[in-house]
Amino acid sequence: MLCPVCHKVMIIVEHHRIELDYCTQCGGVWFDASELDLFINACGLPGPDFSPETLLRKPEVKETPHPRKCPLCRQKLRDVAIGEPAVIVDVCRRRQGIWFDGGEIQQLLTQMAARTASPEDASKKVLEFLGDTFKARK
Ligand SMILES: [Zn+2]
Ligand SMILES: [Zn+2]
């Protein structure tokens, strides 16, 4: 699969049986539909619903000058804001998956971990994931 930003071939990263595509060039991450929810649950984060179904119901963010295309269906991705402070993610209009720019997934996960009942445990799991996924592959 090609990165929607730099059009390089992405590598597949597996963590606790959840697969994601990672671009070593820009640090962006693609989750197939519903994999993000699985992953959030695996980390024990009480996140919002990240299914493309739910994300597509949120209002579209208009200010992106260069719309990206879905690496699967080649349709324009829809920009949606999640979290507080907001992170802009790109969602496939055909519900195939979600794209995070480099650093966005880290930002979002850290944010969510901080809001759990035991932020230290949650942060540990998040860091473990981020370490597993991104560290050795730069
Ligand atoms: Zn890239
Ligand atoms: Zn698509």
Side-chain angles (χ1 to χ4, degrees):
M1 192 150 62
L2 295 182
C3 170
V5 178
C6 33
H7 311 287
K8 303 269 184 219
V9 177
M10 295 192 279
I11 59 167
I12 294 173
V13 176
E14 205 236 303
H15 180 86
H16 295 235
R17 294 199 305 266
I18 297 155
E19 280 187 1
L20 53 94
D21 294 85
Y22 173 57
C23 176
T24 53
Q25 184 98 353
C26 66
V29 186
W30 172 265
F31 283 90
D32 280 339
S34 80
E35 281 180 332
L36 184 56
D37 267 334
L38 289 177
F39 162 66
I40 300 269
N41 290 339
C43 281
L45 299 176
D49 182 358
F50 282 106
S51 65
E53 204 67 48
T54 308
L55 293 180
L56 285 171
R57 274 188 234 123
K58 291 175 177 272
E60 184 164 11
V61 179
K62 297 280 184 198
E63 72 245 18
T64 38
H66 303 295
R68 279 113 183 217
K69 288 184 181 153
C70 173
L72 296 173
C73 67
R74 314 303 304 158
Q75 301 282 310
K76 261 195 246 159
L77 291 164
R78 182 182 165 113
D79 289 332
V80 168
I82 42 179
E84 185 69 52
V87 172
I88 312 283
V89 301
D90 299 81
V91 188
C92 167
R93 291 163 203 265
R94 293 189 176 173
R95 300 168 177 77
Q96 291 175 312
I98 306 166
W99 171 257
F100 292 85
D101 281 331
E104 284 180 345
I105 186 79
Q106 290 87 331
Q107 200 182 319
L108 196 68
L109 292 174
T110 310
Q111 210 181 89
M112 285 164 55
R115 281 203 206 104
T116 58
S118 50
E120 276 175 30
D121 283 359
S123 302
K124 229 182 267 169
K125 283 186 188 150
V126 166
L127 289 175
E128 182 203 325
F129 161 76
L130 294 174
D132 258 27
T133 309
F134 303 110
K135 221 189 274 160
R137 296 177 170 87
K138 284 266 171 182

